[in-house]
Amino acid sequence: MPTPSENTLFGMGNPLLDISAVVDKDFLDKYGLQPNGVILAEDKHKELFDELVQRNKVEYHAGGSTQNSVKIAQWMLQKPHKVATFFGCIGTDRFGEILKKKADEAHVDAHYYQQNEEPTGTCAACITGDNRSLVANLAAANCYKKEKHLDLDSNWELVEKAKVYYIAGFFLTVSPESIFKVAKHASDNNKIFGLNLSAPFISQFFKEPLMKVMPYVDILFGNETEAATFAKELGFGTDDIAEIAKKTQNLPKENTKRQRIVVFTQGKDDTVATVGEKVTMFPVLDIDQNDIVDTNGAGDAFVGGFLSALVQEHSLEECIRAGHYAANVIIRRVGCTFPEKPDFH
């Protein structure tokens, strides 16, 4: 199998600093949060961040969905360093410096667009039991500008160097034009472009840009809730996950040289994937409930593991196995963190 070279994997998204703490139901109720929700912060959530930091033992982790995934892909690969490139926008502040340092420690080739209008974005992970409610305050992450960063020759050269591209659907709320440019480049050059449904609100409120990029998507990721919402928004008329995967695979596609692959995870239940004309179930690794520390980042980790096998040109089955391994490691730890080396064969 080929060893991937530097900048083979390209990711672009919202770099956020995760602020995670264990809270109680009263805290969730006070801010109108679902135990397993994913939302963008509104004005009513401004105090939430302050309260979280003041009242609880807080952990800070470099986060943001796409950044998590490319970091885990790099961790799974180990060598060479900087197989993964990452673009996103941060502020000129302490949190921004932490993100730079963390990306560096993870050996990811991060090229941030830095601006001083908005502070670095944060994501509150409010943990109750084995649930986590995420509230993202995008701030700087929302300020990514195609013409100020992606279009610069030195940056676009890094895009051209890549063979595999991955962007979480969350970035559709920030810079759809950047996503289109990268997705079209991948499609025109028969390279692989992956996208994640990311959260139900993306299919609900950002359906137009989502469907505009869909013809360029070679691999679509999502979980069972996101898949169900996507199916509802598109009027598939079914809540059977295998059928949703099949219908999604058959949506219009630009590059007909590659059949679209659809991969839906379902927590502890089997992962559903389209394999050629069939839909196949892949059981996840067994884990004792008591060993689950924090499910935050499990989906990102799955994608990271998957991508690490994909850039080595492994089979779909192997990519899913690597994804299951990475997710199994991550849920035993707080935040999207990992041990020094993977133990994956």
Side-chain angles (χ1 to χ4, degrees):
M1 290 297 174
T3 304
S5 48
E6 280 190 12
N7 309 110
T8 299
L9 173 64
F10 176 84
M12 180 166 62
N14 301 331
L16 305 174
L17 192 73
D18 285 347
I19 304 174
S20 58
V22 174
V23 301
D24 50 25
K25 190 178 177 305
D26 292 348
F27 184 89
L28 296 184
D29 293 345
K30 178 176 175 182
Y31 292 105
L33 305 178
Q34 295 296 324
N36 242 341
V38 184
I39 59 164
L40 292 176
E42 297 167 42
D43 286 344
K44 66 178 180 186
H45 299 113
K46 287 285 178 270
E47 277 81 64
L48 177 150
F49 289 85
D50 301 333
E51 188 181 335
L52 199 64
V53 172
Q54 278 155 15
R55 64 175 265 176
N56 293 307
K57 201 166 108 258
V58 178
E59 297 208 20
Y60 294 93
H61 297 287
S65 183
T66 306
Q67 187 167 242
N68 282 342
S69 293
V70 299
K71 199 179 282 182
I72 286 184
Q74 180 66 56
W75 169 72
M76 289 281 287
L77 291 161
Q78 291 286 306
K79 290 273 188 308
H81 291 164
K82 298 189 173 179
V83 168
T85 314
F86 178 76
F87 286 6
C89 183
I90 58 175
T92 49
D93 51 16
R94 188 171 70 90
F95 284 176
E97 290 310 308
I98 293 175
L99 284 186
K100 278 190 190 165
K101 185 168 154 284
K102 294 287 187 191
D104 205 43
E105 285 169 6
H107 307 301
V108 167
D109 195 15
H111 293 256
Y112 295 115
Y113 169 48
Q114 268 189 292
Q115 48 73 59
N116 50 21
E117 314 253 300
E118 285 279 347
T120 296
T122 48
C123 179
C126 311
I127 300 164
T128 52
D130 54 10
N131 290 322
R132 50 93 188 115
S133 192
L134 304 179
V135 185
N137 180 26
L138 296 183
N142 215 9
C143 301
Y144 189 83
K145 299 279 181 286
K146 174 176 167 287
E147 57 287 353
K148 294 258 179 77
H149 194 262
L150 185 69
D151 292 346
L152 303 183
D153 289 346
S154 58
N155 290 331
W156 187 250
E157 276 168 21
L158 289 168
V159 175
E160 291 181 323
K161 256 180 101 171
K163 295 191 175 86
V164 175
Y165 302 83
Y166 173 69
I167 300 176
F170 290 124
F171 202 56
L172 286 163
T173 75
V174 173
S175 185
E177 56 286 351
S178 296
I179 301 180
F180 300 143
K181 185 174 180 181
V182 171
K184 193 169 174 351
H185 166 79
S187 182
D188 290 349
N189 294 279
N190 195 28
K191 301 201 263 191
I192 301 172
F193 180 80
L195 186 79
N196 203 311
L197 291 175
S198 291
F201 79 82
I202 299 293
S203 296
Q204 290 166 319
F205 307 116
F206 296 89
K207 182 170 138 190
E208 194 189 359
L210 173 63
M211 293 322 289
K212 197 175 154 190
V213 79
M214 197 57 74
Y216 301 104
V217 177
D218 296 300
I219 306 179
L220 184 71
F221 298 95
N223 67 23
E224 73 278 36
T225 322
E226 294 149 11
T229 306
F230 180 70
K232 202 164 146 195
E233 288 299 320
L234 265 72
F236 282 174
T238 179
D239 49 15
D240 177 77
I241 194 147
E243 216 172 309
I244 294 171
K246 195 75 205 135
K247 284 182 186 268
T248 305
Q249 181 186 37
N250 292 332
L251 290 169
K253 191 163 188 309
E254 277 295 314
N255 176 13
T256 51
K257 294 197 208 60
R258 292 183 187 278
Q259 187 178 29
R260 183 181 292 118
I261 294 169
V262 180
V263 185
F264 292 144
T265 56
Q266 308 189 81
K268 61 182 186 310
D269 295 326
D270 293 1
T271 294
V272 178
T274 57
V275 183
E277 298 307 312
K278 300 199 301 290
V279 177
T280 310
M281 303 291 187
F282 296 89
V284 301
L285 295 164
D286 282 337
I287 185 168
D288 187 326
Q289 273 310 107
N290 299 325
D291 290 336
I292 300 177
V293 174
D294 174 9
T295 54
N296 186 19
D300 296 340
F302 172 82
V303 173
F306 187 104
L307 294 171
S308 73
L310 188 65
V311 296
Q312 297 177 83
E313 298 177 20
H314 289 319
S315 68
L316 177 63
E317 290 76 2
E318 276 300 298
C319 292
I320 290 172
R321 197 169 75 84
H324 285 164
Y325 167 79
N328 186 274
V329 170
I330 296 304
I331 58 180
R332 298 166 189 269
R333 308 166 69 92
V334 174
C336 202
T337 61
F338 35 80
E340 195 190 338
K341 283 192 163 69
D343 176 25
F344 179 72
H345 308 290

